[in-house]
Amino acid sequence: MKPPAKEPADPSPASRETAADARTGVPGLRTWRAVYLFVLGCFIVWVGLLTLLTRMFS
Amino acid sequence: MNPLDYAVLLGTMLGIAAFAIWRTRGRHELRTYLKGAGNARWITIGLSVMATQASAITFLSTPGQGYESGLGFVQNYFGAPLALIIIAVVFLPIYRRLNVYTAYEYLGRRFDPKTRLFGAALFLLQRGLGAGITIYAPAIVLSTVMGWRLDLTIVCSGLLVIVYTVTGGSDAVSLTQKYQIGVIFAGMVTAFFVLLAKLPAGLTFTEALGVAGSFHKLEAVDFSFNMDRRYTFWSGVLGGMFLALSYFGTDQSQVQRYLTGASLRESRLGLMFNAVLKIPMQFFILLLGALLFVFYQFETPPVVFNQAVWAAHAQGETGDRLRAIEAGFAAAHAEERADLNAWLAARRAGDPAAAAQARTGMLAAQQRTAGWRTEAQQVLAAASGRTTTSDADYVFITFILDHLPHGVIGLLVAVFFAAALSSKSAELNALGSTTTVDLYRHVIRREATDAHYVAASKWFTALWGVVAIGFALCARLAENLIQAVNILGSIFYGVMLGLFLVAFFLRWVRGTAVFWAAAAAQVLVFVLYFSLGISYLWYNLIGCAACVGFSVILQAVLGDGRRPDAAQAA
């Protein structure tokens, strides 16, 4: 039985970029959604810490 | 500054510029000249975006803001992470897919030539004015404090940045920014630790924070809905997000930075690098200012930090008045310090009643010292007969010159110049690119060789550099410098963002409607700015909302808005 034929590669720059750019290359954050959630999480942590600082030392 | 400081300053500045000129020589194609070789990694893009935004004003003026007003200014950056995510998801893929040189080129493809020209003109107007401020602001402070000639400081720093930006184009900007931001980080971290070491022996870091907090310097977040307050959580998240969205998403000086990426992935990660680090970086700089305030509670500060202005009038007619103010200030500061020591002793002894009493005393004394400072500034302003830059802009540089060791002083002055040159070069690069691509190639000379457009771009870059130097030589500023830049941006950025949001999301709106809507929205922002007293950050939101709203209404009136444009549909 022959293995299924591979999809022919699309030579256009746009499609090459799409395939390569889907990978984030960030350890532990494999999708862009995860990267964005991480950034939002950092933002929330910073606001929380700054609010805590404000409350602690006012 | 001694010879060692000058060696550090000149060695870093000239060394970085010379290295960039050598590395980026021989850029003869328009594509590589304007967008680089297309191999930039995310860290280069991230540092380049950061260096473009962080001008010398950031490092000169922001510690002074922390000293005078505390950490509240950090809220100005709360919208940045959200905005950068939106840009990474929506703006960036479209710019890359359409393979544009400038953001305004996209407006031309989506709408029509006149809207493209309008967007480019808005950018050239506000960034051209801002370019003068970014070169003038550090020059006025450094020349005043160092005793250098203001005009020579402006011309020398301006010419240096023109030479390497014109020579190497976009790659030279990215390359120099990478090393310049390294100098900036090294200098600021060194200053921070030297400052900590200079605090009184026995005062812990937590106690230092307690001192800053007791004077309301650590009030970083304000959740109130008061529209008159310049910085609140809400104005930061909403107004700040619109400001960041328009600055990072539509300002060519930033768009050009992340379009140099080797791929969409590298550009995205470069933006996310900034989304994570922007708030902590600004917090760190403001905290430095708040700790400077703590330092000057134990060390008597000058009545005003702009000591050159003080010295100029201390020998004149106002001399007796200034000496009386100085004596009153010294007495009030001594009381403040005594009450502060009593407050610290009471806290260490666990005596809340004594601590409360001492705190009341030190706050009252602080009111008196602030009163003397205000009076001194009024006397100096009246004596000089013209407005001067905010005294807060001189706080950090005064500390550097009075309390840091030689060598480190040179490094810190290099920080200010590195920051000035890094943001200036990105601005000139963007101004030159926009003038070449959106005006010259689009309107004046449509068919020419690459070499011709590269030469034109070099000439336009140099011309904008000369305009910025000329503007800086004529400038007179009244407000805190960093606020002046942000106010100028807020007046124009909202409408600019509105143009792009309509382009991205309202596919049925056409060029004529959005053009006139943007023009009307810009007029509205001008009128409101001169008639209302609300925080300037809100003008980003107002300008954007007006542009979008007017576009929708006008398109409904004009009709025939059903067909999406080719570029958007692509």
Side-chain angles (χ1 to χ4, degrees):
Chain A
M1 188 182 217
K2 284 185 178 177
K6 285 183 181 174
E7 290 280 331
D10 183 341
S12 71
S15 66
R16 281 203 304 273
E17 192 168 73
T18 305
D21 293 329
R23 291 189 294 275
T24 68
V26 182
L29 302 170
R30 292 185 179 178
T31 64
W32 285 108
R33 179 188 291 267
V35 171
Y36 300 142
L37 285 174
F38 172 77
V39 172
L40 282 177
C42 288
F43 169 65
I44 292 166
V45 167
W46 268 109
V47 172
L49 287 174
L50 289 171
T51 306
L52 196 66
L53 186 76
T54 304
R55 300 265 160 89
M56 276 179 68
F57 292 101
S58 63
Chain B
M1 283 184 44
N2 71 4
L4 174 64
D5 296 317
Y6 279 105
V8 172
L9 171 63
L10 294 176
T12 48
M13 291 303 94
L14 296 179
I16 291 172
F19 178 66
I21 291 169
W22 175 71
R23 275 287 300 272
T24 59
R25 65 196 184 282
R27 297 282 190 267
H28 301 305
E29 293 175 5
L30 187 65
R31 174 160 207 83
T32 49
Y33 186 75
L34 296 187
K35 293 174 81 173
N39 57 1
R41 299 292 309 278
W42 66 269
I43 187 69
T44 304
I45 296 165
L47 292 175
S48 186
V49 167
M50 184 177 276
T52 299
Q53 192 191 21
S55 66
I57 305 164
T58 306
F59 301 99
L60 269 173
S61 187
T62 309
Q65 279 230 328
Y67 180 94
E68 289 219 321
S69 311
L71 304 182
F73 183 61
V74 75
Q75 296 168 110
N76 201 35
Y77 298 91
F78 278 3
L82 308 172
L84 286 165
I85 288 174
I86 294 170
I87 291 163
V89 172
V90 180
F91 290 44
L92 182 56
I94 293 177
Y95 289 153
R96 285 195 70 93
R97 192 173 66 224
L98 296 179
N99 203 21
V100 292
Y101 285 110
T102 72
Y104 321 109
E105 209 179 337
Y106 164 68
L107 290 179
R109 295 200 201 180
R110 166 66 177 84
F111 295 120
D112 52 30
K114 67 176 180 297
T115 310
R116 173 184 181 174
L117 283 175
F118 186 81
L122 275 187
F123 167 73
L124 293 175
L125 184 63
Q126 73 93 9
R127 187 48 64 187
L129 290 173
I133 294 177
T134 52
I135 205 166
Y136 170 80
I140 178 70
V141 177
L142 291 172
S143 64
T144 302
V145 173
M146 303 290 188
W148 299 338
R149 277 182 55 179
L150 174 63
D151 51 358
L152 277 183
T153 310
I154 289 171
V155 170
C156 288
S157 56
L159 286 180
L160 179 63
V161 73
I162 288 173
V163 166
Y164 74 74
T165 308
V166 167
T167 307
S170 189
D171 268 347
V173 174
S174 298
L175 190 65
T176 48
Q177 284 179 325
K178 198 159 73 171
Y179 294 104
Q180 284 160 343
I181 203 89
V183 171
I184 290 168
F185 283 156
M188 295 304 283
V189 169
T190 304
F192 187 81
F193 282 107
V194 172
L195 173 60
L196 289 183
K198 294 263 177 191
L199 290 174
L203 186 76
T204 65
F205 183 67
T206 310
E207 283 180 325
L209 291 180
V211 172
S214 68
F215 286 101
H216 308 291
K217 302 295 180 188
L218 297 187
E219 292 173 0
V221 189
D222 177 2
F223 286 101
S224 72
F225 290 96
N226 189 344
M227 292 276 283
D228 294 333
R229 289 199 181 169
R230 190 161 260 186
Y231 307 114
T232 65
F233 176 83
W234 307 108
S235 73
V237 169
L238 287 175
M241 185 181 78
F242 278 86
L243 176 61
L245 205 52
S246 41
Y247 174 62
F248 289 108
T250 71
D251 189 307
Q252 180 62 18
S253 64
Q254 283 293 359
V255 174
Q256 196 155 0
R257 296 299 93 223
Y258 53 77
L259 286 185
T260 60
S263 64
L264 178 62
R265 171 186 171 275
E266 302 293 341
S267 299
R268 266 188 180 151
L269 285 177
L271 290 176
M272 291 306 99
F273 173 81
N274 279 271
V276 171
L277 290 184
K278 191 68 207 163
I279 293 173
M281 187 181 118
Q282 293 297 331
F283 166 73
F284 168 76
I285 300 170
L286 285 165
L287 182 65
L288 183 70
L291 290 174
L292 276 172
F293 178 84
V294 175
F295 171 79
Y296 279 119
Q297 296 311 298
F298 298 97
E299 181 91 11
T300 305
V303 183
V304 293
F305 285 92
N306 188 346
Q307 289 164 301
V309 172
W310 177 276
H313 295 285
Q315 305 303 323
E317 291 176 5
T318 53
D320 289 341
R321 184 78 199 108
L322 290 177
R323 276 185 286 280
I325 290 172
E326 192 172 34
F329 177 84
H333 192 271
E335 289 172 31
E336 189 179 334
R337 183 163 44 197
D339 284 326
L340 176 58
N341 283 323
W343 179 74
L344 282 168
R347 275 169 58 105
R348 285 168 187 158
D351 184 348
Q357 189 183 4
R359 189 181 183 211
T360 306
M362 73 189 196
L363 287 177
Q366 204 254 338
Q367 290 285 323
R368 288 195 292 279
T369 56
W372 286 116
R373 287 195 71 195
T374 305
E375 190 176 343
Q377 284 162 5
Q378 286 168 346
V379 169
L380 290 172
S384 61
R386 65 180 180 89
T387 52
T388 58
T389 49
S390 165
D391 197 52
D393 295 328
Y394 294 84
V395 172
F396 189 36
I397 188 70
T398 301
F399 169 77
I400 289 167
L401 293 176
D402 290 349
H403 298 284
L404 294 191
H406 286 294
V408 179
I409 292 176
L411 177 65
L412 263 296
V413 176
V415 165
F416 302 134
F417 275 103
L421 298 187
S422 63
S423 53
K424 182 90 236 140
S425 61
E427 285 171 354
L428 291 185
N429 194 216
L431 287 165
S433 304
T434 304
T435 311
T436 306
V437 174
D438 295 305
L439 294 181
Y440 185 70
R441 195 174 73 163
H442 179 57
V443 177
I444 299 168
R445 180 123 184 222
R446 285 175 172 270
E447 299 294 333
T449 62
D450 247 21
H452 176 84
Y453 288 128
V454 170
S457 187
K458 289 185 175 184
W459 278 109
F460 285 130
T461 304
L463 185 67
W464 277 111
V466 172
V467 167
I469 290 173
F471 181 85
L473 289 172
C474 304
R476 290 286 183 273
L477 294 178
E479 263 211 87
N480 180 288
L481 296 169
I482 195 162
Q483 286 184 8
V485 172
N486 282 334
I487 289 169
L488 187 64
S490 295
I491 289 173
F492 292 100
Y493 275 147
V495 176
M496 179 81 89
L497 178 62
L499 275 173
F500 280 84
L501 291 187
V502 171
F504 289 135
F505 298 111
L506 302 180
R507 298 175 61 185
W508 46 278
V509 175
R510 309 292 296 278
T512 301
V514 79
F515 174 82
W516 290 110
Q522 192 58 67
V523 171
L524 177 70
V525 170
F526 276 127
V527 170
L528 291 178
Y529 177 73
F530 289 109
S531 56
L532 296 180
I534 59 174
S535 168
Y536 63 82
L537 284 175
W538 292 112
Y539 292 111
N540 294 286
L541 183 58
I542 292 168
C544 180
C547 182
V548 173
F550 293 166
S551 297
V552 170
I553 294 167
L554 210 51
Q555 189 61 62
V557 172
L558 292 172
D560 190 27
R562 287 163 295 172
R563 187 174 61 83
D565 290 67
Q568 183 66 27

